[in-house]
Amino acid sequence: MTTVTHSRRWQFWIDVGGTFTDCFGRTPDGVLRRHKVLSSGVTKGSAGGGSTVVKIVDPLRRGDPAGFWIGYRFRLLDGEGRAVAETEVADFDAGEGVLTLAKPLAAAPLANQAYELDGGEESPILAIRYLLGLRLSDTIGPIAVRLGTTRGTNALITRRGARTALVTTKGFADVLSIGYQNRPRLFDLAIRKPPPLFAAVVEVDERVAADGSVLVAPDGEAIRRDLVALRTTGIDSLAVCLLHAYQSAEHERLVESIARDVGFDEISVSSQVAPLVKIVSRGDTTVMDAYLNPILRQYVAALRRSLGESDLRVITSAGGLVAADQFVGKDSILSGPAGGVVGFSRVAQAAGFDAAIGFDMGGTSTDVARFDGRYELEYETEKAGVRVVAPMMAIETVAAGGGSICHFDGVKLVVGPDSAGANPGPACYGRGGPLAVTDINFFLGKIPPEFFPFPLDRGAVERRLSALVEEIATATAKRYEPVELADGFLRVANANMVKAIRSISVAKGYDPRDYVLVAFGGAAGQHACAVARELGMEKVLLHPDAGILSAYGIGMAEITRHGMAGVYQPYSDDAVAALADTFDAIAKPAAEEVEREGIARERIEVRRSLDLRYRGLDAYLTIREPGGNGSSPGGTGLPSATTYAEAFAAEHRQLYGYVHENRPLEIVAVRVEVVGRSAEDLPRSQAVEPHVVRGERSATAWFDARRREATVLRRVDLRPGDRIAGPAIVHESTSTVVVDPAWRADVLSGGELLLS
């Protein structure tokens, strides 16, 4: 067990992903415990020998908390994952792994027939109950929960948010639909624009000039009539975005007040959500906030019903923790992945690496990010076809996860973007799912089935691969061997992930060969060597908890608040000095909020930055305060700067390869980040005198479509100094690490695997 700082109550660090939910439970005496469940909240298993119509024997249930499954719904599944019988668990013997059913089944289950257990609660609650050993009927006592969730992300991607209406200035009803008229794919003949998030538009007859002066005052009674009529159409949430409201918010506050009077509870106001120039991006952000807020509030409310008086905090897209009641739509898009960035950066530093690239491959997608001694934040970006003006980690996401579906489109092999998800999952899960990346790794021998948390169905994978062999042969007249086809899918998936890493390194002027690749997530360990080889990277770091490192990072995250204000003034040293009061006015209330969260004043840090651009341009760069708390540390490749202008020039040259000499700058906005620094300090890790170890057994695996015998070891059996020669497969409780041929793995003093 890993031990960390003592806490007086149980604390849980949870990352809810698209397929799996990862959970750490920290006991009051500081011991970390781990658990991983499906994000559907359903637990899978299979009926073993001795099962009858009233008793299900499953060796995998041995060691579960005593009586834990009593009251859960039991569903027996057929070969395609359909429920053929359903009842309730009346008793559970943890020692023997026996589930006693409340009603007998019509017939005894077949050998290894799949079943599932469902308590009707969200996956974080299931994980918490399991680690605490609490049954469905038990109350969860006061605990502390830190959570990252993809609930907002999924609602945005699938367009399943709340019914939202946009309230905007008269004459601007189409402004968000028109957008910037940009074409992301210039040569597409059939343009498919993503559908708008709002279902209706209300125009307000008002007008504010660019300097904030009122040109047309709004009519409160007219606004009231329009909103009353809107209320009858089933609209759940309002996004209020009026022209030039970033200069004067009075009219937006009036609309908000009237909307609350007529019964709207969910209202997002642009002057609060994104108080900056550009009505399109400001409007998009406000609409997205309104679209997601009801979904997030329902989710938080469901958790609170089970958690009672517990302290619940959520990690935002910027990597900081906020109280669950302050978690809003615009800050939710990268909630889970941001925890991964915190996690990989902390463990890289602990192992002596200040420059790291995070490679987080989960069940649905792969997230990559770069760390140079500081987090790289973006303040204006586009996610799922929606422009977002909010601080968030600079994370590149590609649809290549363990659940990404592998198929043939008539011309080429394709991996993703669709995913098998948690339900039905990949084909090998035995619920009738499609062929996915996890199936490919399993088929190629890189996932030993005996270590998986539930039985895997190899026959289902072989049938789907055989069907694809026939489909490709019919279309191309070339017949591949199943191993060749599987290897081809693996290469496509790896190429997708390599492309994503190049976009956050090479495309921004950074050489990936100067970084260590920190692989984490349930599937990254199976692909890390191949991805690093393609990028020319020589070292890969895997933490002992790499399979659930995003949850680990959520536990390491700090409490933060962000603030900003538009400036839009010519740059000069005097202009910068004059902004001191503006910085203080933004920082003071944010720091007070952080202090109220229980952070000691001496651990509160204020980081300042300016948005700067060349005068006459639209795009800007966010420049941290030179020489201050936000200055660039070593490892970024940028020279040290003494003024914002020098730092801007260095950053511009790094990104674009040139600077405009003597061209005047403009200050676009001031930004403040207030950080309550974490008391968690990870111990330093280092190399130990190596000695070669060999596993007790080997397994057949395929590398580059060639058969090899790979050593099989368990991570728990490894000790600091152990050296493993590839090919090898290292089993962990939450993932599998594959050491490719020509690679080796060394165990560091902290238990990390360093592949080289």
Side-chain angles (χ1 to χ4, degrees):
M1 292 285 185
T2 303
T3 58
V4 292
T5 308
H6 173 77
S7 176
R8 286 176 293 177
R9 63 163 69 174
W10 272 85
Q11 190 175 107
F12 291 90
W13 311 337
I14 304 175
D15 175 37
V16 184
T19 305
F20 287 103
T21 291
D22 304 331
C23 179
F24 281 91
R26 189 171 76 176
T27 67
D29 57 0
V31 177
L32 287 183
R33 296 179 180 173
R34 301 147 181 88
H35 193 49
K36 194 179 188 85
V37 299
L38 288 169
S39 293
S40 60
V42 170
T43 300
K44 298 176 182 293
S46 64
S51 296
T52 68
V53 293
V54 293
K55 291 185 183 293
I56 303 297
V57 180
D58 185 353
L60 288 177
R61 298 275 70 86
R62 292 173 185 165
D64 288 349
F68 183 76
W69 300 109
I70 295 173
Y72 280 75
R73 297 300 297 173
F74 172 90
R75 286 188 284 268
L76 190 66
L77 310 176
D78 64 13
E80 295 301 317
R82 296 183 294 259
V84 293
E86 185 169 349
T87 181
E88 193 172 284
V89 178
D91 196 13
F92 171 59
D93 183 343
E96 299 297 326
V98 175
L99 300 160
T100 301
L101 306 180
K103 292 193 309 182
L105 304 172
L110 302 174
N112 297 320
Q113 186 169 356
Y115 70 83
E116 61 185 22
L117 299 164
D118 186 359
E121 291 184 314
E122 298 286 353
S123 58
I125 305 302
L126 171 63
I128 290 170
R129 285 190 182 279
Y130 189 94
L131 289 176
L132 291 176
L134 297 177
R135 304 180 187 181
L136 272 178
S137 57
D138 295 333
T139 300
I140 298 176
I143 57 175
V145 179
R146 294 180 170 195
L147 180 75
T149 176
T150 58
R151 186 58 59 100
T153 314
N154 295 340
L156 181 63
I157 292 172
T158 60
R159 294 300 196 263
R160 292 179 180 173
R163 278 182 54 82
T164 303
L166 170 66
V167 181
T168 191
T169 302
K170 185 177 180 181
F172 288 82
D174 295 329
V175 67
L176 301 187
S177 298
I178 295 170
Y180 295 125
Q181 301 188 58
N182 55 324
R183 294 179 62 179
R185 292 174 296 278
L186 190 61
F187 299 104
D188 277 8
L189 298 179
I191 306 298
R192 292 182 176 87
K193 294 181 65 175
L197 300 182
F198 53 89
V201 181
V202 171
E203 294 183 279
V204 177
D205 189 6
E206 65 83 44
R207 196 63 178 262
V208 172
D211 62 1
S213 59
V214 177
L215 301 178
V216 178
D219 180 349
E221 287 306 314
I223 295 171
R224 184 177 297 274
R225 285 195 300 271
D226 289 342
L227 293 182
V228 168
L230 185 68
R231 182 91 173 123
T232 64
T233 64
I235 293 295
D236 300 317
S237 190
L238 289 184
V240 183
C241 182
L242 305 181
L243 191 66
H244 300 311
Y246 67 96
Q247 288 283 33
S248 175
E250 182 181 348
H251 293 177
E252 286 195 345
R253 286 196 292 265
L254 174 65
V255 173
E256 181 185 16
S257 176
I258 295 172
R260 295 202 184 280
D261 282 346
V262 303
F264 285 101
D265 295 322
E266 297 288 352
I267 306 167
S268 295
V269 179
S270 77
S271 53
Q272 298 171 7
V273 172
L276 294 174
V277 72
K278 297 182 182 178
I279 190 172
V280 173
S281 53
R282 177 162 53 91
D284 264 358
T285 305
T286 308
V287 168
M288 184 191 69
D289 195 65
Y291 185 74
L292 298 180
N293 277 344
I295 305 300
L296 296 176
R297 295 196 205 286
Q298 291 169 14
Y299 182 61
V300 168
L303 294 178
R304 285 207 181 280
R305 282 194 293 272
S306 296
L307 293 174
E309 299 300 317
S310 298
D311 177 31
L312 176 61
R313 290 176 178 170
V314 188
I315 191 170
T316 69
S317 300
L321 292 167
V322 298
D325 296 336
Q326 296 176 318
F327 186 58
V328 294
K330 72 181 180 68
D331 296 328
S332 70
I333 303 305
L334 297 179
S335 173
V341 177
V342 176
F344 90 72
S345 58
R346 295 290 295 273
V347 302
Q349 287 181 313
F353 298 99
D354 288 327
I357 289 176
F359 168 41
D360 176 11
M361 184 177 179
T364 305
S365 61
T366 292
D367 299 316
V368 299
R370 197 184 73 254
F371 178 75
D372 286 294
R374 65 171 187 175
Y375 302 130
E376 183 184 8
L377 296 178
E378 295 177 328
Y379 296 94
E380 184 172 348
T381 186
E382 185 172 312
K383 299 295 181 186
V386 179
R387 285 166 286 266
V388 185
V389 182
M392 62 177 63
M393 294 284 195
I395 298 172
E396 183 74 16
T397 301
V398 61
S404 292
I405 297 173
C406 303
H407 63 100
F408 176 66
D409 69 357
V411 178
K412 62 185 182 299
L413 302 184
V414 178
V415 177
D418 294 331
S419 174
N423 189 6
C428 64
Y429 283 17
R431 289 210 60 186
L435 187 72
V437 172
T438 294
D439 298 313
I440 299 302
N441 281 310
F442 173 46
F443 180 78
L444 293 176
K446 297 179 180 181
I447 301 178
E450 64 269 25
F451 294 136
F452 214 74
F454 49 83
L456 298 179
D457 186 348
R458 184 177 179 86
V461 179
E462 293 173 343
R463 289 192 296 273
R464 283 158 179 76
L465 273 172
S466 297
L468 275 173
V469 167
E470 297 301 325
E471 182 182 349
I472 294 170
T474 301
T476 67
K478 178 164 178 63
R479 181 177 296 277
Y480 291 93
E481 292 296 323
V483 167
E484 292 179 298
L485 184 59
D487 185 70
F489 278 123
L490 212 57
R491 290 174 181 268
V492 172
N494 290 340
N496 290 341
M497 294 179 279
V498 167
K499 181 180 178 182
I501 292 175
R502 285 186 173 135
S503 72
I504 56 101
S505 56
V506 177
K508 295 185 177 182
Y510 299 90
D511 190 340
R513 292 174 296 183
D514 296 334
Y515 294 76
V516 63
L517 184 68
V518 184
F520 60 105
Q526 298 145 41
H527 298 257
C529 290
V531 169
R533 183 181 61 197
E534 288 291 321
L535 292 163
M537 302 175 74
E538 296 183 349
K539 293 187 182 299
V540 177
L541 183 70
L542 293 114
H543 188 265
D545 288 307
I548 52 177
L549 196 66
S550 289
Y552 192 77
I554 291 168
M556 299 292 109
E558 298 162 325
I559 294 172
T560 63
R561 296 291 186 275
H562 290 264
M564 60 182 172
V567 177
Y568 316 109
Q569 294 178 6
Y571 175 90
S572 68
D573 291 341
D574 290 340
V576 172
L579 292 173
D581 290 342
T582 305
F583 276 122
D584 291 341
I586 299 172
K588 184 178 179 181
E592 290 173 348
E593 281 188 35
V594 172
E595 192 171 358
R596 285 195 294 270
E597 292 275 2
I599 304 298
R601 185 169 300 181
E602 62 270 16
R603 298 193 68 85
I604 296 177
E605 181 181 324
V606 177
R607 301 169 182 172
R608 302 175 180 87
S609 59
L610 290 179
D611 290 350
L612 299 178
R613 65 187 176 194
Y614 286 119
R615 197 178 302 173
L617 296 186
D618 178 65
Y620 61 83
L621 298 178
T622 299
I623 306 300
R624 300 193 178 201
E625 181 181 23
N629 294 330
S631 60
S632 300
T636 63
L638 299 180
S640 59
T642 58
T643 67
Y644 280 105
E646 290 178 357
F648 175 87
E651 182 84 13
H652 197 279
R653 188 180 297 279
Q654 174 81 18
L655 284 171
Y656 305 114
Y658 70 95
V659 293
H660 289 294
E661 299 291 348
N662 301 318
R663 184 166 183 174
L665 297 177
E666 180 183 18
I667 304 173
V668 178
V670 300
R671 296 186 184 274
V672 170
E673 180 184 10
V674 178
V675 180
R677 289 182 286 112
S678 171
E680 304 286 356
D681 294 319
L682 297 181
R684 298 290 291 185
S685 185
Q686 57 191 5
V688 179
E689 184 68 27
H691 54 275
V692 177
V693 296
R694 293 176 174 83
E696 295 180 358
R697 73 176 189 88
S698 63
T700 300
W702 298 81
F703 296 88
D704 298 325
R706 296 166 59 187
R707 179 172 178 159
R708 302 290 294 265
E709 289 300 311
T711 302
V712 179
L713 304 102
R714 297 195 309 163
R715 184 74 170 257
V716 295
D717 296 333
L718 298 179
R719 297 293 178 265
D722 286 351
R723 172 169 287 179
I724 305 158
I729 299 171
V730 181
H731 159 67
E732 301 176 345
S733 61
T734 55
S735 64
T736 301
V737 177
V738 176
V739 184
D740 281 11
W743 284 73
R744 74 166 188 238
D746 289 287
V747 183
L748 303 184
S749 61
E752 302 93 337
L753 281 178
L754 182 62
L755 278 55
S756 53

